[in-house]
Amino acid sequence: MTALRFVHTADLHLGRPFGGFPEADRLRVARRGLIARLTDVARQGGAPHVLVAGDVFETPNPAAQTWRQAVAEMAEAADLTWWLLPGNHDNLAAARTTWEAIQARGAANIRVLDTAAPVPLGEHAVLLPAPLTVRRPSSDPTAWMAACETPPGIVRIGLAHGPVQGFGEGEMPADVVAPDRDRTAALDYLALGDWHGALRVSDRVHYAGTPERTGFLHPGRGTCHVVEIAGAGSPPHVETVETGVFGWHRVTLDLVPGDDPAARLTAALPQGPRRDLLVQVTAQGRLRLGDATALAAAAEEIGPEFCHFDLDTTALSAEVDAADLDEIAPTGALRAASTELAAEAADPALSARDRALAAAALRRLHALVAEGGR
Ligand SMILES: [Mn+2]
């Protein structure tokens, strides 16, 4: 046989709203572009099949435009077959209407995997899908695969959605996929969804991750896998391909007095076109009050260049001396307030939260006065 090649992806979460992000509209548009990007990856990788391991949609009842445009685009890529598995977000119980509408549309190259039963994947392979019938199943949805017999020499591909935990240690919750399912069910490859980053569980068990990242937990850009299997029993060759437009990054800045905060910030930022980067900076350690103000000013200037930029200074403490307080005000009510805040920021009798609050208020006061003086 010629080698089996397919794209393994998952967690498209089409229709995700991204509330709270200033450029949520751009993030939504990027998700809409996923079908086109996956189509390109499949064609360039010589893979006629695209396996989506659950959570095609963010919600069980996506807007008509969300699902109809995605389905129309899949149908247009008629040289590919799209295998869609219901996950927890679009499980069969909650999303039945959506899945039925997609099937009723009747595109021959879109296959909704609504039954836990083997289906041929080309001539030399079989797909063993584990659709989620409810949001949280009461047993391992891949358990049935162990007893499923297929003709000898046929490549067996499992497709499932859910967490793999424990790696054989201790007791596992009932809805978890057994991490050794490839061995107990003689699978050549188990394509998993649910975890939004790419993750290799073992040689034959992989999470594809979401092809367009959904948050800061999984850094960088979204990816998918192009998988090649030479024949039954052969080890899979898994290539990870970048598909995401947006890069998500968490950056930690450990600061000490004497640092140039703007230079440290710039050096720590990820490379790439900033309009397509989302960055969460956590500044911690200690800075002199004036330098903390300079850090905030640098963040304010640089932040709007990014799709999203957030500087968290709650874990940053300021070193305050009399000259700093003089800069705020040499005398009067502002001086009294800033002296009090400086004392509170350094008072070990207060809670960490109250100290951080006092330090933040002092930095704000310093920044306000500095702004007024410009
Ligand atoms: Mn998901």
Side-chain angles (χ1 to χ4, degrees), residues 11 13 55 89 161 194 196:
D11 297 281
H13 285 272
D55 287 0
H89 280 253
H161 186 90
D194 187 41
H196 285 194

Side-chain angles (χ1 to χ4, degrees), residues 283 285 287-290 292-293 295-296 311-320 328 337-338 340-346 350-369:
L287 273 186
R288 280 197 279 270
L289 192 55
T293 302
L295 175 65
L311 172 67
D312 181 358
T313 54
T314 47
L316 183 69
S317 51
E319 283 198 347
V320 185
I328 295 173
S338 51
E340 178 120 348
L341 286 170
E344 283 191 10
L350 293 176
S351 70
R353 192 184 171 278
D354 285 345
R355 285 200 306 270
L357 207 62
L362 190 59
R363 286 197 300 270
R364 284 291 291 277
L365 196 55
H366 188 271
L368 274 173
V369 173

